Amino acid sequence: MLNKIPLLGIHHVAIICSNYALSKQFYTEMLGFDIIREVYRQERDSYKLDLSFQGVYYIELFSFPETPARVSRPEACGLRHLAFEVSNLDETVAILQQKGLTCEAIRIDEFTEKRFTFTSDPDHLPIEFYER
């Protein structure tokens, strides 16, 4: 039997966006992530933005020229969505709507009986909010 890899946790999620300014605004102003570091890589005509939440590094946001669109609907293989835990889903939905975002109807997870909803980032990556 093989030994398990001694993983400590998920380090970060990398996201490639089509409009850097719009995605930067979404993740920082809409969702409240803090900027750790922002780098423009001239040789690649690319930005790399490291984002944290409550002091924990979570997201690497990249921009590259002429990237193909991500298929979100119908669902395709690969990363399905990002999910964020919240304590009050009704409050979260109200805040998201005040910021101009559209949320799906709140649903209940049939296995955990917890409530959740989805919105999308500027590139239509599904973003889930899951109530604790």
Side-chain angles (χ1 to χ4, degrees):
M1 180 173 166
L2 296 175
N3 292 331
K4 289 183 181 180
I5 296 172
L7 299 177
L8 300 176
I10 295 174
H11 188 266
H12 69 271
V13 173
I15 300 170
I16 298 173
C17 63
S18 63
N19 182 318
Y20 179 72
L22 191 60
S23 291
K24 177 182 175 182
Q25 177 191 24
F26 176 82
Y27 286 98
T28 58
E29 295 177 23
M30 299 288 213
L31 297 186
F33 280 84
D34 297 313
I35 296 173
I36 298 171
R37 174 178 30 263
E38 182 176 30
V39 177
Y40 177 71
R41 301 174 304 175
Q42 186 171 355
E43 70 283 359
R44 299 179 83 179
D45 190 20
S46 168
Y47 279 96
K48 179 181 182 287
L49 183 65
D50 295 331
L51 299 169
S52 70
F53 185 76
Q54 296 180 346
V56 180
Y57 174 47
Y58 281 112
I59 294 178
E60 243 180 2
L61 184 65
F62 290 97
S63 70
F64 296 104
E66 301 178 37
T67 55
R70 178 190 188 280
V71 176
S72 290
R73 303 259 189 268
E75 293 190 47
C77 289
L79 179 65
R80 185 172 184 197
H81 63 263
L82 295 179
F84 298 106
E85 186 177 48
V86 298
S87 61
N88 184 319
L89 191 58
D90 296 314
E91 180 182 334
T92 300
V93 168
I95 293 168
L96 292 169
Q97 290 173 337
Q98 286 173 357
K99 293 177 180 267
L101 296 173
T102 301
C103 295
E104 292 180 1
I106 293 175
R107 294 181 273 167
I108 297 177
D109 184 310
E110 63 184 295
F111 303 108
T112 65
E113 299 182 1
K114 302 286 185 174
R115 299 179 336 134
F116 66 96
T117 189
F118 282 89
T119 191
S120 297
D121 84 350
D123 287 302
H124 310 290
L125 174 66
I127 306 291
E128 180 181 14
F129 295 93
Y130 198 93
E131 193 169 58
R132 182 182 297 182

